[in-house]
Amino acid sequence: MVVHSKPAIEQLSNANSCAALLGGIPLIDLSKPDPKAQLVRACEDFGFFKVVNHGVPTALIRDLESEAVRFFSLPLSVKAQAGPPDPFGYGDKKIGPNGDVGWLEYLLLTTNSHSDYHKFSSIFGHAADKFRCLVNEYIAAVKKMACEILEMLADGLRIQEREAFSKLLMDEQSDSVFRVNHYPPCPDFPESNGRNLIGFGEHTDPQIISVLRSNNTSGLQISLKDGRWIPVPADQSSFFINVGDSLQVMTNGRFKSVKHRVVANGSKSRLSMIYFGGPPLSETIAPLASLMQGEEDSLYKEFTWFEYKKSAYKSKLADNRLGLFEKIAAS
């Protein structure tokens, strides 16, 4: 398991005061008449923000979380029947194929509403259909929110085609995924004595946008532009939005894909549910022409989502995945 040394703890303490100076994590009320400017500023400055009055039914969130908790409470031998992830299914400790590990277990699920979830039939029995329906309903709700946010961002950037970003999620071939992470309590590695156990290592999300919701247990941290880490206060009634690598490229670096990680909790379990909104595999990812100013050059080489996803899958979590696709300025 990966642990942080004492200097990292001190760094986090210093970051707390930095966050206070910055006014903390951007909070955006989606029910307000015109949050476009706030959304754009949050994507430029942090690549991360919290939304309230999001329209996702509380009962739906509660019901799906309850089913997830029930699943993760099962014996490992039973849960393992839904794994390994190939690419979808149950995983434990191992994150990806390249040696990354974390103090977590997870479910990685397709967003295809026609999936029959056959891996879960031996575990849930007839309740597998209920689980599938809850997942589909939840995904539809958070996808709708994500598309509305992307359209407001397009408006805020004065892009003529309001659906420039959202259409990629709405496409029937959209390569989006849904992930449920469970971080068990970790009493053997308390957040003291100079050590912090990593639940999920530092990384950026390769997709366009991520919509995250967790229970009332802390652990999520984001990296500021100067490299310092700040903790994100737990809030089970709100959603957190991440800018992904693909959106950073499409805005030619104007929006920042935020590096984030999760630190394990010594006494409480943490459950998070994340919708990763991705484009179709054949989609070409490049800066939008309407965002290029004058003679401004693209910072990135063109690539398809399939090419980038394949490259990201071969990398380790902490790697700079976009580095291979950046254009090197001529000296």
Side-chain angles (χ1 to χ4, degrees):
M1 290 294 138
V2 179
V3 296
H4 281 311
S5 62
K6 188 173 181 180
I9 301 295
E10 292 171 350
Q11 185 181 49
L12 289 173
S13 177
N14 292 336
N16 279 329
S17 59
C18 181
L21 290 173
L22 291 171
I25 305 298
L27 170 63
I28 298 174
D29 187 340
L30 294 181
S31 69
K32 296 293 185 183
D34 194 8
K36 295 192 291 285
Q38 279 183 285
L39 288 168
V40 169
R41 195 179 315 116
C43 290
E44 292 175 337
D45 294 343
F46 284 84
F48 182 88
F49 53 92
K50 178 165 74 171
V51 295
V52 296
N53 292 320
H54 42 70
V56 181
T58 301
L60 175 59
I61 297 171
R62 183 186 62 241
D63 290 349
L64 180 55
E65 182 177 278
S66 176
E67 287 298 307
V69 168
R70 185 163 75 90
F71 173 81
F72 288 121
S73 298
L74 294 170
L76 179 58
S77 59
V78 177
K79 291 181 287 191
Q81 296 175 35
D86 57 355
F88 303 114
Y90 172 78
D92 181 39
K93 304 293 192 297
K94 295 181 180 179
I95 306 171
N98 301 306
D100 287 303
V101 293
W103 186 256
L104 85 159
E105 56 183 342
Y106 61 90
L107 286 173
L108 191 61
L109 305 172
T110 176
T111 60
N112 181 351
S113 60
H114 302 298
S115 173
D116 60 6
Y117 283 30
H118 64 278
K119 282 189 174 184
F120 299 98
S121 58
S122 62
I123 301 171
F124 286 148
H126 295 301
D129 284 339
K130 176 186 177 183
F131 181 61
R132 177 181 58 82
C133 289
L134 282 172
V135 169
N136 288 343
E137 191 176 347
Y138 181 87
I139 288 173
V142 294
K143 176 181 175 181
K144 180 176 182 290
M145 179 196 1
C147 288
E148 290 172 350
I149 289 171
L150 289 172
E151 288 172 7
M152 285 188 280
L153 286 170
D155 280 344
L157 292 172
R158 296 190 174 93
I159 298 172
Q160 189 170 4
E161 184 186 7
R162 193 169 191 264
E163 294 79 22
F165 305 130
S166 64
K167 68 181 181 182
L168 303 179
L169 274 59
M170 297 301 295
D171 193 297
E172 288 186 1
Q173 301 301 315
S174 169
D175 184 43
S176 299
V177 294
F178 180 59
R179 186 180 185 110
V180 185
N181 289 333
H182 176 238
Y183 303 89
C186 192
D188 295 332
F189 290 88
E191 293 180 340
S192 60
N193 300 322
R195 295 199 295 180
N196 257 342
L197 180 69
I198 286 296
F200 206 115
E202 62 180 76
H203 64 285
T204 60
D205 295 338
Q207 292 88 353
I208 295 171
I209 192 171
S210 306
V211 180
L212 178 147
R213 185 262 171 203
S214 66
N215 65 356
N216 210 25
T217 301
S218 62
L220 178 63
Q221 300 169 352
I222 64 169
S223 177
L224 300 178
K225 289 180 180 179
D226 61 8
R228 286 181 288 179
W229 291 91
I230 62 170
V232 178
D235 184 344
Q236 62 183 355
S237 63
S238 304
F239 282 88
F240 293 94
I241 310 296
N242 291 7
V243 169
D245 295 345
S246 296
L247 188 56
Q248 176 172 317
V249 172
M250 293 179 76
T251 60
N252 204 33
R254 182 168 172 180
F255 290 173
K256 306 301 181 186
S257 181
V258 65
K259 185 174 285 188
H260 53 287
R261 67 187 182 193
V262 174
V263 174
N265 191 289
S267 58
K268 298 179 182 178
S269 65
R270 183 175 190 272
L271 185 80
S272 61
M273 304 190 293
I274 314 102
Y275 166 76
F276 298 97
L281 289 171
S282 60
E283 184 69 28
T284 297
I285 307 298
L288 297 181
S290 60
L291 294 180
M292 307 297 281
Q293 300 175 354
E295 299 299 318
E296 181 182 0
D297 292 326
S298 169
L299 299 177
Y300 306 95
K301 306 169 188 175
E302 280 192 3
F303 54 86
T304 65
W305 169 239
F306 174 79
E307 291 170 332
Y308 190 59
K309 183 179 179 180
K310 183 178 179 182
S311 174
Y313 191 68
K314 291 180 179 178
S315 68
K316 291 183 71 66
L317 281 176
D319 290 347
N320 175 16
R321 294 163 171 165
L322 276 177
L324 294 174
F325 299 88
E326 293 173 351
K327 287 186 176 179
I328 307 300
S331 57

